[in-house]
Amino acid sequence: MCAAMGAKVLERFPAGAPRGSWPAEEYAAARRAAGEPATVVMDLESDAFLVVVPGRDED
């Protein structure tokens, strides 16, 4: 699986969260508050939301 073209996956959340609950968005907001450029993307193959940060080039 290519997580947002080289992005590092911090956490996965199932897409079936209870109505009005956004755990992936809440987790990403906490990571951003801690200084990480976290964002939420949808992985359609696994039906999950992924919280990702940009990958680092390790050449």
Side-chain angles (χ1 to χ4, degrees), residues 39-52:
T39 189
V40 177
V41 296
M42 178 72 183
D43 178 14
L44 295 174
E45 289 183 18
S46 66
D47 193 31
F49 291 106
L50 310 178
V51 178
V52 299

Side-chain angles (χ1 to χ4, degrees), residues 1-40:
M1 175 180 80
C2 177
M5 296 179 157
K8 178 182 174 186
V9 177
L10 298 179
E11 192 67 56
R12 309 168 84 62
F13 295 89
R19 186 179 182 109
S21 174
W22 301 93
E25 291 291 346
E26 293 166 359
Y27 183 83
R31 301 311 315 151
R32 287 191 295 271
E36 285 187 274
T39 189
V40 177

